[in-house]
Amino acid sequence: MPSNEKEYNGYLFDQLSLLEDIQEIAEKENSVETLKLIAKKRRQIERKLYQQPPLIREQE
C-alpha cells in the first residue's frame, strides 16, 4: 500500500502507462471491445488521480 499521495499517484501513472501500451496493440488489431474497456479503465484511474480533495491526506 502506498504510504503517501505522491507514491499513490506514481502507481496510478504506471497504470495509465500500461493502458497506453495495451491500447496501441488494440488499435492495430481493431479490437473495439478492448478499446472500450481501456477507455473505461482510463476514466476510473483518472477519477482517482485527479480527485479533489485528494484520497490521502498528508499527515501534519
Side-chain angles (χ1 to χ4, degrees):
M1 183 77 179
S3 62
N4 61 43
E5 187 174 356
K6 186 175 182 178
E7 186 177 343
Y8 185 67
N9 286 346
Y11 173 72
L12 294 173
F13 279 117
D14 288 344
Q15 289 183 346
L16 287 174
S17 294
L18 288 170
L19 286 178
E20 289 170 357
D21 294 344
I22 296 167
Q23 182 176 356
E24 184 178 322
I25 301 301
E27 287 172 352
K28 287 180 184 176
E29 295 178 347
N30 294 319
S31 181
V32 176
E33 292 300 316
T34 303
L35 290 169
K36 286 180 184 178
L37 180 58
I38 291 168
K40 176 183 174 183
K41 291 299 178 185
R42 180 183 305 278
R43 287 190 306 272
Q44 291 171 344
I45 294 166
E46 287 175 347
R47 185 171 56 236
K48 293 175 189 175
L49 186 60
Y50 301 115
Q51 177 173 328
Q52 291 297 327
L55 289 174
I56 302 172
R57 284 197 161 159
E58 290 296 322
Q59 296 192 3
E60 298 174 8

